[in-house]
Protein backbone atom coordinates (compact mmCIF):
# COMPACT_ATOMS: atom_id res chain seq x y z
CA UNK A 1 0.00 0.00 0.00
CA UNK A 2 2.87 2.39 0.79
CA UNK A 3 4.44 1.67 -2.59
CA UNK A 4 1.12 2.34 -4.31
CA UNK A 5 0.64 5.67 -2.57
CA UNK A 6 4.19 6.71 -3.34
CA UNK A 7 3.78 5.92 -7.04
CA UNK A 8 0.44 7.74 -7.17
CA UNK A 9 1.88 10.85 -5.52
CA UNK A 10 4.79 10.84 -7.95
CA UNK A 11 2.45 10.69 -10.93
CA UNK A 12 0.29 13.44 -9.49
CA UNK A 13 3.14 15.84 -8.74
CA UNK A 14 4.39 15.59 -12.30
CA UNK A 15 1.01 16.46 -13.80
CA UNK A 16 1.36 20.24 -14.06
CA UNK A 17 4.87 19.98 -15.51
CA UNK A 18 3.77 17.34 -18.01
CA UNK A 19 0.92 19.61 -19.08
CA UNK A 20 3.21 22.61 -19.38
CA UNK A 21 5.87 20.81 -21.42
CA UNK A 22 3.29 19.26 -23.77
CA UNK A 23 1.50 22.57 -24.41
CA UNK A 24 1.93 24.13 -27.84
CA UNK A 25 4.61 26.82 -27.83
CA UNK A 26 6.55 25.30 -24.92
CA UNK A 27 8.64 22.89 -26.99
CA UNK A 28 11.84 24.74 -26.08
CA UNK A 29 11.47 23.87 -22.37
CA UNK A 30 12.66 20.69 -20.71
CA UNK A 31 11.05 19.14 -17.64
CA UNK A 32 12.59 20.26 -14.36
CA UNK A 33 13.20 17.49 -11.85
CA UNK A 34 10.93 17.52 -8.80
CA UNK A 35 13.94 17.35 -6.47
CA UNK A 36 15.27 20.56 -7.99
CA UNK A 37 11.93 22.35 -7.61
CA UNK A 38 11.50 21.35 -3.99
CA UNK A 39 15.00 22.44 -2.96
CA UNK A 40 14.56 25.97 -1.58
CA UNK A 41 18.19 26.81 -2.27
CA UNK A 42 17.55 26.58 -6.02
CA UNK A 43 14.71 29.11 -5.71
CA UNK A 44 16.67 31.77 -3.84
CA UNK A 45 15.57 35.30 -4.75
CA UNK A 46 12.58 34.28 -6.85
CA UNK A 47 9.99 35.14 -4.22
CA UNK A 48 10.43 38.84 -5.04
CA UNK A 49 10.25 38.24 -8.79
CA UNK A 50 6.97 36.31 -8.92
CA UNK A 51 3.54 37.47 -7.83
CA UNK A 52 1.79 35.03 -5.48
CA UNK A 53 5.05 33.12 -5.32
CA UNK A 54 3.99 30.45 -2.84
CA UNK A 55 0.72 29.72 -4.61
CA UNK A 56 2.57 29.53 -7.92
CA UNK A 57 5.12 27.12 -6.48
CA UNK A 58 2.33 24.97 -5.02
CA UNK A 59 0.70 24.85 -8.45
CA UNK A 60 3.93 23.85 -10.21
CA UNK A 61 4.55 21.07 -7.67
CA UNK A 62 0.86 20.09 -7.68
CA UNK A 63 0.11 20.71 -4.03
CA UNK A 64 -2.14 23.69 -4.74
CA UNK A 65 -5.41 23.40 -2.82
CA UNK A 66 -6.64 27.00 -2.59
CA UNK A 67 -10.32 27.50 -3.30
CA UNK A 68 -10.41 30.65 -5.46
CA UNK A 69 -12.38 32.17 -8.32
CA UNK A 70 -11.42 31.91 -11.99
CA UNK A 71 -9.70 35.29 -12.16
CA UNK A 72 -7.48 34.50 -9.20
CA UNK A 73 -6.75 31.06 -10.60
CA UNK A 74 -5.72 32.58 -13.94
CA UNK A 75 -3.40 35.05 -12.21
CA UNK A 76 -1.75 32.28 -10.20
CA UNK A 77 -1.45 30.18 -13.35
CA UNK A 78 0.35 33.02 -15.09
CA UNK A 79 2.69 33.40 -12.12
CA UNK A 80 3.34 29.66 -12.14
CA UNK A 81 4.43 29.77 -15.80
CA UNK A 82 6.70 32.72 -15.05
CA UNK A 83 8.19 30.94 -12.03
CA UNK A 84 8.80 27.79 -14.06
CA UNK A 85 10.60 29.84 -16.71
CA UNK A 86 12.89 31.53 -14.19
CA UNK A 87 13.73 28.22 -12.51
CA UNK A 88 14.25 26.70 -15.94
CA UNK A 89 17.05 29.18 -16.72
CA UNK A 90 18.88 27.95 -13.61
CA UNK A 91 18.15 24.29 -14.14
CA UNK A 92 19.43 24.00 -17.73
CA UNK A 93 22.99 24.94 -16.69
CA UNK A 94 23.14 22.03 -14.23
CA UNK A 95 24.42 18.60 -15.26
CA UNK A 96 20.93 17.12 -15.51
CA UNK A 97 19.53 20.15 -17.30
CA UNK A 98 22.33 20.22 -19.85
CA UNK A 99 21.81 16.53 -20.60
CA UNK A 100 18.09 17.05 -21.23
CA UNK A 101 18.65 20.08 -23.45
CA UNK A 102 21.36 18.16 -25.32
CA UNK A 103 18.83 15.47 -26.20
CA UNK A 104 16.47 18.11 -27.58
CA UNK A 105 19.36 19.71 -29.49
CA UNK A 106 20.24 16.41 -31.16
CA UNK A 107 16.60 15.93 -32.17
CA UNK A 108 16.49 19.43 -33.75
CA UNK A 109 13.69 20.43 -31.39
CA UNK A 110 14.87 24.04 -31.58
CA UNK A 111 15.01 24.14 -35.37
CA UNK A 112 17.78 24.45 -37.92
CA UNK A 113 19.82 27.41 -39.07
CA UNK A 114 18.06 29.21 -41.95
CA UNK A 115 21.40 30.21 -43.47
CA UNK A 116 22.09 28.10 -46.56
CA UNK A 117 25.85 27.89 -45.97
CA UNK A 118 25.31 26.36 -42.49
CA UNK A 119 23.67 23.29 -44.07
CA UNK A 120 20.86 22.79 -41.52
CA UNK A 121 22.99 23.20 -38.40
CA UNK A 122 20.83 22.65 -35.25
CA UNK A 123 20.05 25.75 -33.20
CA UNK A 124 19.94 26.47 -29.47
CA UNK A 125 17.62 28.84 -27.61
CA UNK A 126 19.26 31.79 -25.88
CA UNK A 127 18.40 35.05 -24.18
CA UNK A 128 19.91 38.46 -24.78
CA UNK A 129 19.26 39.43 -21.18
CA UNK A 130 19.10 37.55 -17.87
CA UNK A 131 16.37 39.90 -16.65
CA UNK A 132 12.77 39.04 -17.59
CA UNK A 133 10.49 41.18 -19.77
CA UNK A 134 13.34 42.75 -21.75
CA UNK A 135 14.14 40.55 -24.77
CA UNK A 136 12.36 37.59 -26.34
CA UNK A 137 14.12 34.29 -26.93
CA UNK A 138 16.46 33.98 -29.93
CA UNK A 139 18.05 30.98 -31.63
CA UNK A 140 21.85 30.64 -31.77
CA UNK A 141 23.78 28.88 -34.52
CA UNK A 142 27.17 27.63 -33.38
CA UNK A 143 28.41 27.30 -36.96
CA UNK A 144 27.97 30.86 -38.22
CA UNK A 145 27.87 32.24 -34.64
CA UNK A 146 24.81 34.35 -35.36
CA UNK A 147 21.34 34.56 -33.83
CA UNK A 148 17.92 34.29 -35.48
CA UNK A 149 14.26 34.83 -34.66
CA UNK A 150 12.10 31.74 -34.11
CA UNK A 151 9.79 30.90 -37.01
CA UNK A 152 6.73 30.34 -34.84
CA UNK A 153 5.03 33.33 -33.24
CA UNK A 154 4.35 31.15 -30.19
CA UNK A 155 8.07 30.62 -29.67
CA UNK A 156 8.87 34.24 -30.48
CA UNK A 157 6.73 35.32 -27.52
CA UNK A 158 8.82 33.35 -24.98
CA UNK A 159 10.94 35.47 -22.65
CA UNK A 160 14.65 35.12 -23.33
CA UNK A 161 15.38 35.20 -19.59
CA UNK A 162 13.90 31.69 -19.35
CA UNK A 163 17.09 30.43 -21.07
CA UNK A 164 19.62 33.06 -20.07
CA UNK A 165 22.63 34.49 -21.85
CA UNK A 166 25.12 31.73 -20.91
CA UNK A 167 23.38 28.40 -21.47
CA UNK A 168 24.29 27.93 -25.15
CA UNK A 169 27.96 28.66 -24.45
CA UNK A 170 28.10 26.43 -21.36
CA UNK A 171 26.66 23.53 -23.36
CA UNK A 172 29.60 23.57 -25.78
CA UNK A 173 32.08 23.97 -22.93
CA UNK A 174 30.73 20.82 -21.30
CA UNK A 175 30.37 18.95 -24.62
CA UNK A 176 33.23 20.34 -26.76
CA UNK A 177 32.95 17.49 -29.29
CA UNK A 178 29.62 18.97 -30.43
CA UNK A 179 31.17 22.27 -31.47
CA UNK A 180 31.00 22.34 -35.29
CA UNK A 181 33.69 23.73 -37.55
CA UNK A 182 33.19 27.42 -38.20
CA UNK A 183 31.53 28.38 -41.45
CA UNK A 184 34.00 30.37 -43.53
CA UNK A 185 32.06 29.87 -46.73
CA UNK A 186 30.38 33.06 -47.93
CA UNK A 187 28.11 33.80 -50.84
CA UNK A 188 29.99 35.53 -53.66
CA UNK A 189 27.91 37.84 -55.91
CA UNK A 190 28.38 37.03 -59.61
CA UNK A 191 27.20 38.41 -62.94
CA UNK A 192 27.13 35.82 -65.73
CA UNK A 193 29.58 33.73 -63.73
CA UNK A 194 32.05 36.54 -63.05
CA UNK A 195 32.58 37.85 -59.54
CA UNK A 196 31.44 41.40 -58.87
CA UNK A 197 34.54 43.54 -58.45
CA UNK A 198 34.93 44.39 -54.76
CA UNK A 199 36.13 48.00 -55.28
CA UNK A 200 33.03 48.68 -57.41
CA UNK A 201 30.76 47.63 -54.56
CA UNK A 202 32.84 49.71 -52.15
CA UNK A 203 32.59 52.79 -54.36
CA UNK A 204 28.81 52.42 -54.63
CA UNK A 205 28.58 52.18 -50.86
CA UNK A 206 30.82 55.23 -50.38
CA UNK A 207 28.78 57.26 -52.86
CA UNK A 208 25.58 56.33 -51.10
CA UNK A 209 27.02 57.33 -47.73
CA UNK A 210 28.30 60.62 -49.16
CA UNK A 211 24.93 61.53 -50.69
CA UNK A 212 23.14 60.64 -47.48
CA UNK A 213 25.49 62.88 -45.51
CA UNK A 214 24.94 65.76 -47.92
CA UNK A 215 21.17 65.47 -47.68
CA UNK A 216 21.30 65.51 -43.89
CA UNK A 217 23.63 68.50 -43.82
CA UNK A 218 21.44 70.44 -46.26
CA UNK A 219 18.41 69.62 -44.14
CA UNK A 220 20.20 70.97 -41.07
CA UNK A 221 21.46 73.97 -43.10
CA UNK A 222 25.04 73.19 -42.17
CA UNK A 223 27.90 74.34 -44.37
CA UNK A 224 29.69 71.04 -44.98
CA UNK A 225 32.54 72.30 -47.14
CA UNK A 226 31.82 69.55 -49.66
CA UNK A 227 31.36 70.37 -53.32
CA UNK A 228 27.72 69.71 -53.93
CA UNK A 229 27.60 68.16 -57.40
CA UNK A 230 23.81 68.14 -57.58
CA UNK A 231 23.47 71.80 -56.64
CA UNK A 232 26.32 72.75 -59.02
CA UNK A 233 24.51 71.01 -61.85
CA UNK A 234 21.27 72.81 -61.05
CA UNK A 235 23.07 76.14 -60.90
CA UNK A 236 24.75 75.42 -64.23
CA UNK A 237 21.45 74.56 -65.86
CA UNK A 238 19.90 77.74 -64.42
CA UNK A 239 22.72 79.91 -65.79
CA UNK A 240 22.55 78.29 -69.22
CA UNK A 241 18.81 78.92 -69.43
CA UNK A 242 19.21 82.64 -68.73
CA UNK A 243 22.58 83.23 -70.34
CA UNK A 244 22.67 86.02 -72.98
CA UNK A 245 22.96 84.72 -76.48
CA UNK A 246 26.26 86.47 -77.09
CA UNK A 247 27.85 85.05 -73.93
CA UNK A 248 26.76 81.57 -74.87
CA UNK A 249 28.69 81.98 -78.14
CA UNK A 250 31.84 83.17 -76.33
CA UNK A 251 31.48 86.89 -77.05
CA UNK A 252 29.59 89.96 -75.96
CA UNK A 253 28.17 92.24 -78.71
CA UNK A 254 30.50 90.70 -81.28
CA UNK A 255 33.69 90.96 -79.13
CA UNK A 256 35.73 88.14 -77.54
CA UNK A 257 35.20 87.22 -73.90
CA UNK A 258 38.19 86.75 -71.55
CA UNK A 259 40.55 86.86 -74.46
CA UNK A 260 38.77 84.07 -76.31
CA UNK A 261 38.82 84.54 -80.10
Amino acid sequence: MDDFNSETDSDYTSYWRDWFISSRGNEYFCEIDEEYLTDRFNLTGLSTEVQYYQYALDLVTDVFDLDCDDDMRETIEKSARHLYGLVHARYIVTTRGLAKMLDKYKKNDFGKCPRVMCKSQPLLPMGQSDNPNIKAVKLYCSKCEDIYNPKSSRHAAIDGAYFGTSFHNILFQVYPALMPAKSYERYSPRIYGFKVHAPAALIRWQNGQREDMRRRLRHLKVDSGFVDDERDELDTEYEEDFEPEGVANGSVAGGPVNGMA
Side-chain angles (χ1 to χ4, degrees), residues 117-119 121 140-146 180-183:
M117 303 299 180
C118 287
K119 301 176 182 178
Q121 172 68 26
Y140 171 76
C141 175
S142 56
K143 196 164 189 177
C144 63
E145 295 185 329
D146 210 343
K182 302 305 175 188
S183 176

Side-chain angles (χ1 to χ4, degrees), residues 3-22:
D3 293 338
F4 174 79
N5 290 336
S6 176
E7 182 178 355
T8 304
D9 291 341
S10 177
D11 293 339
Y12 178 72
T13 53
S14 65
Y15 174 77
W16 190 94
R17 282 172 285 144
D18 288 343
W19 166 82
F20 180 82
I21 297 301
S22 61

